[in-house]
Amino acid sequence: MRVSVLGPLTLGLGARSGVPSAMKPRKVLSLLLLHAGRMVPVQSLMAELWGDHPPRTGLTTLQTYILHLRKLLAEVLGMPSAAVTRDVLQTRPGGYAMVVGPGQLDVHQYRALVAEGEGALEAGDERTADTSFRRALALWQGPALVDVTPHGRPLQAEVARLEQSRLTVTERGIETRLRLGGHLEVLSDLASLVVEHRFHEGMHGQYMLALHRSGQRTRALTVYQRLRTAMTEELGLEPSAKLQRLQQAVLVSDPRLDHEAGAPGRGPVVA
């Protein structure tokens, strides 16, 4: 069985899909998958479906959705309904739980690869960290659960957590490639990221550093000035002291910005 939430919702085996066409059962399935292996309370599922005002028939309707999902899963997996109830979509005290096998759910693979990358960084192995972060980000096929909308509060919270993780891992991956001397490689990614994340100072700093190391000091300073103008005019804030120090280092061509490519355990001089 293949299951993914990092992009469109998919659940299937071969050409057979276990994703329901109706949106409310899709929401139930999504929330169960995001908590795979753990019990999701009935109250959380009902809050996802109806917010703070579930209908009087809400519990019965939820039970109908669960039965529908079990029927779909039985068809896709070629299992008796009783086996699906026992082993896959389980009823537990207070709620329901979806059980998936090792390696079947993309978010589990993603988290394992991120942990592997962070462990490699702590050990000073930037090349392994770079590989792990790339593999983790490659699992994303678009915004999380992009075809399950609108999200209720429970799904909103889980999707926001995933998207923040994706952003953090993207930044960590670029940091790792900069440590390995890959400043030319990250330029195009950063050019797009600073447009998408207009006030993300970390990514702007990485872009400035990559431009500086690529011999584009003037463009690096322009990136800073553009961010500063946007922040002061729209937010009434100045860039952080850390970013201001980086701008000053670029202005004077501080040699500490140009560490030897591939030197282990060394990062951008922006502290």
Side-chain angles (χ1 to χ4, degrees):
M1 183 170 66
R2 71 183 190 285
V3 189
S4 58
V5 295
L6 302 179
L9 172 64
T10 63
L11 185 154
L13 186 65
R16 293 174 293 181
S17 173
V19 176
S21 56
M23 188 54 66
K24 279 187 166 59
R26 289 164 76 94
K27 290 185 170 194
V28 171
L29 178 60
S30 298
L31 202 56
L32 290 169
L33 288 173
L34 287 174
H35 294 84
R38 293 173 289 162
M39 188 271 287
V40 179
V42 165
Q43 291 87 343
S44 295
L45 292 165
M46 293 182 68
E48 176 59 39
L49 295 172
W50 297 292
D52 296 327
H53 305 287
R56 286 183 299 173
T57 58
L59 180 57
T60 301
T61 303
L62 173 62
Q63 291 168 341
T64 301
Y65 294 155
I66 294 294
L67 288 173
H68 177 54
L69 289 172
R70 284 172 172 159
K71 181 180 177 181
L72 270 177
L73 289 167
E75 293 172 356
V76 168
L77 300 176
M79 298 172 61
S81 295
V84 170
T85 301
R86 183 186 66 240
D87 300 328
V88 183
L89 206 177
Q90 302 173 338
T91 300
R92 296 187 182 176
Y96 300 93
M98 188 80 174
V99 179
V100 299
Q104 291 183 333
L105 180 59
D106 60 352
V107 73
H108 287 173
Q109 300 172 49
Y110 167 76
R111 287 169 176 155
L113 286 166
V114 171
E116 181 180 282
E118 293 292 352
L121 271 187
E122 289 181 12
D125 185 355
E126 280 91 353
R127 295 199 180 278
T128 296
D130 179 45
T131 299
S132 298
F133 289 144
R134 287 176 190 258
R135 289 176 61 200
L137 292 169
L139 291 170
W140 287 77
Q141 302 299 311
L145 296 171
V146 65
D147 57 345
V148 182
T149 56
H151 300 148
R153 284 199 308 273
L155 274 183
Q156 279 182 347
E158 295 300 324
V159 167
R161 184 178 292 111
L162 282 171
E163 292 293 346
Q164 181 58 54
S165 173
R166 183 186 190 183
L167 186 61
T168 300
V169 173
T170 298
E171 189 176 10
R172 293 287 274 168
I174 290 171
E175 174 192 340
T176 303
R177 278 182 276 169
L178 285 170
R179 291 187 187 186
L180 292 168
H183 43 273
L184 290 172
E185 179 188 0
V186 300
L187 282 176
S188 60
D189 287 342
L190 285 167
S192 173
L193 286 166
V194 296
V195 172
E196 184 179 359
H197 304 283
R198 295 177 58 234
F199 300 112
H200 195 295
E201 295 192 29
M203 287 180 173
H204 280 79
Q206 289 177 329
Y207 193 25
M208 291 169 63
L209 190 64
L211 286 167
H212 173 82
R213 290 180 182 168
S214 303
Q216 302 181 63
R217 186 167 64 123
T218 301
R219 285 190 64 195
L221 294 170
T222 300
V223 167
Y224 174 84
Q225 192 56 49
R226 186 168 59 233
L227 173 65
R228 181 181 182 275
T229 298
M231 289 184 67
T232 55
E233 291 182 355
E234 298 183 39
L235 304 178
L237 298 172
E238 288 285 342
S240 66
K242 181 177 181 179
L243 202 63
Q244 291 181 43
R245 288 195 296 272
L246 175 59
Q247 185 237 13
Q248 290 299 314
V250 172
L251 271 173
V252 300
S253 295
D254 190 323
R256 293 178 298 168
L257 297 178
D258 298 303
H259 69 75
E260 179 182 351
R266 299 182 62 183
V269 185
V270 295

